[in-house]
Amino acid sequence: MTVRRILVLLLTLAVVLGVTSPAAAAPPAARSTTVTSFDGTSIVVNFFPAAGLPAGERAPSVLVGPGWGGAGETDPDAPAVAGLRQRGYNVLTWDPRGFGRSGGAASVDHYRYEGRDMQALLSWLARQPEARLDRTGDPRVGMAGGSYGGGIQFVTAAIDRRVDAIVPTIAWNSLVNSLYPNHTPKSGWGNLLCAFGSAGTNRVVAQVKETCGLAATGGLPDAALEAWWRDHGPAGRLIDRVRVPTMIVQGTVDTLFPLREGIANYQALRANGTPVKMVWFCGGHGTCLTPAGAAGHVEALTVAWFDRWLKRARTNTGPGFEYVDDAGVWRGAPKYPLATTHRVTRSGSGTLSFSPADTSGSDVAAAPATNAVSVPGPAYRGQVVGSPTVKLTYRGTGTAPRTSLYAQLVDGTKVAGNFATALPVTLDGKTHTLEVPLGAVAWSGATLVLQITGASRLYYPQRVTGSVTYRATVTYPVTPPAHAVRISGN
């Protein structure tokens, strides 16, 4: 038999068996499917191979999660997907349990439910021919996404060592501290979250429904419900198990999961020796009212983080702490807090009368109040970077034994960070003292004033009429501005 006849026979056999040469193989294609989780729940996934990935080649992957009440991205050209695909990453999105086309009921990123759903997705990803593997069943994978899609990253990394790097954005440390700071219901965001969670065909577990009922009345969870919420976030045992390189991205005007939530996660990971970077940008669950700085910087930092830890490239990921200040300048330092930070204090006293007629701000952003008393800030050179602290010695009376007042840092027509901090007070006519950290800020103005008011729409409306006489001491973390950083991509 001639060589030519042998080649013809081999080619014929290849056609019959459906075997083609690599050059003739079809390029990788996007696809959607369902993955069955541990309890039989169907989770819808969307898989987008890296742009230009040749047939037969493999790339690292990134899982990108949606926000609360949302479904996974299905558009390959959407910024959250296309930006990573163009840089050589497969992208997997999904409809979380209870949302979109997936089954089950949302249990708020719990490790026993949504966490195990993610384990099923990781196992599915490991079987995809486009996914680069570290070993059989173990994909080279990172995670990105914001809010609900940020919280699931801590959970997944804590329970499954197959995750190689995460970039949780505007996520939380403690949902109790976020939703009930200082035992005060943050009903502005609470009502919005309940609306998102119940929209359309969304389904949530009974504990979420119970909490939504409380949000409508300003009630606090009982001990059992509070314990349930404490078990739904990285605070405590989960954060101690996160060992993968983590870049925490938090918003300077986020009034749902404020900067202090990101700081708590950052400090816990640093204490564990986990490679960690923290980035503060002007955004999040809130409205940026100051210059936001160079566009695209956070996105470029995210890609650099994945390049460093997924592609194992010698990529510069920048300083360990980056923040944009209220002038829109991106600055960086090796770590938080800045080593040059010193404490500056200022005190003042007065009397505040308050009633249910008081109001200020909106459901998602604080604003200067008309009925308020003020403590002028200190004269300083530099920036306030971090959380000021207020110590309040007071006595008061009212139509109920307890309520909350609200403290915010005002600079002209703006509230720094758009955030108001609840100050729980006892109105029994006796002298009391409380010390509370305020919301963290990155603020340059030396004209900050502490304003204490009777109501903020971030929280449930004031229900008490009363009066408080106080002396307040505010301690500010002041530092020379950190060095301006080179903007990624410029």
Side-chain angles (χ1 to χ4, degrees), residues 295-338:
H297 185 55
V298 173
E299 292 79 2
L301 289 175
T302 299
V303 171
W305 194 256
F306 289 140
D307 286 350
R308 168 67 180 84
W309 298 107
L310 299 185
K311 292 183 177 178
R312 314 288 168 82
R314 299 182 65 180
T315 302
N316 181 10
T317 59
F321 171 49
E322 293 190 43
Y323 67 94
V324 64
D325 63 22
D326 58 307
V329 178
W330 277 100
R331 301 185 180 278
K335 62 182 180 179
Y336 174 89
L338 276 63

Side-chain angles (χ1 to χ4, degrees), residues 188-431:
W189 271 113
N191 289 326
L192 289 172
L193 292 172
C194 290
F196 298 155
S198 61
T201 60
N202 288 346
R203 301 164 305 281
V204 296
V205 296
Q207 291 87 345
V208 176
K209 294 178 182 178
E210 182 181 354
T211 303
C212 288
L214 292 174
T217 62
L220 294 170
D222 60 20
L225 187 57
E226 180 175 320
W228 188 87
W229 283 105
R230 287 196 183 280
D231 201 31
H232 287 68
R237 58 184 173 184
L238 282 183
I239 197 70
D240 291 338
R241 295 168 60 183
V242 175
R243 291 289 187 272
V244 300
T246 302
M247 187 173 84
I248 295 169
V249 181
Q250 215 74 23
T252 59
V253 294
D254 196 315
T255 55
L256 173 59
F257 304 138
L259 290 177
R260 288 183 56 81
E261 294 297 296
I263 292 170
N265 287 327
Y266 169 83
Q267 291 177 330
L269 292 178
R270 275 186 56 84
N272 292 341
T274 300
V276 61
K277 174 184 174 83
M278 183 166 63
V279 179
W280 295 356
F281 75 108
C282 193
H285 302 91
T287 304
C288 181
L289 301 178
T290 57
H297 185 55
V298 173
E299 292 79 2
L301 289 175
T302 299
V303 171
W305 194 256
F306 289 140
D307 286 350
R308 168 67 180 84
W309 298 107
L310 299 185
K311 292 183 177 178
R312 314 288 168 82
R314 299 182 65 180
T315 302
N316 181 10
T317 59
F321 171 49
E322 293 190 43
Y323 67 94
V324 64
D325 63 22
D326 58 307
V329 178
W330 277 100
R331 301 185 180 278
K335 62 182 180 179
Y336 174 89
L338 276 63
T340 52
T341 300
H342 62 284
R343 302 288 169 177
V344 178
T345 62
R346 185 69 184 268
S347 298
S349 58
T351 298
L352 173 68
S353 297
F354 54 90
S355 75
D358 292 343
T359 187
S360 63
S362 71
D363 289 350
V364 299
T370 55
N371 180 36
V373 292
S374 300
V375 177
Y380 65 88
R381 298 182 64 181
Q383 295 181 323
V384 176
V385 180
S387 294
T389 300
V390 60
K391 182 177 181 180
L392 193 72
T393 300
Y394 70 93
R395 67 178 184 278
T397 57
T399 56
R402 292 179 179 82
T403 191
S404 287
L405 306 178
Y406 303 93
Q408 53 194 23
L409 297 174
V410 175
D411 189 349
T413 61
K414 299 183 180 69
V415 170
N418 294 356
F419 193 68
T421 300
L423 305 175
V425 293
T426 300
L427 304 175
D428 59 3
K430 300 178 182 179
T431 299

Side-chain angles (χ1 to χ4, degrees), residues 143-146 149-151 153-154 166-171 246-250:
M143 297 183 71
Q153 297 179 50
F154 288 112
I166 60 176
V167 182
T169 300
I170 55 174
T246 302
M247 187 173 84
I248 295 169
V249 181
Q250 215 74 23

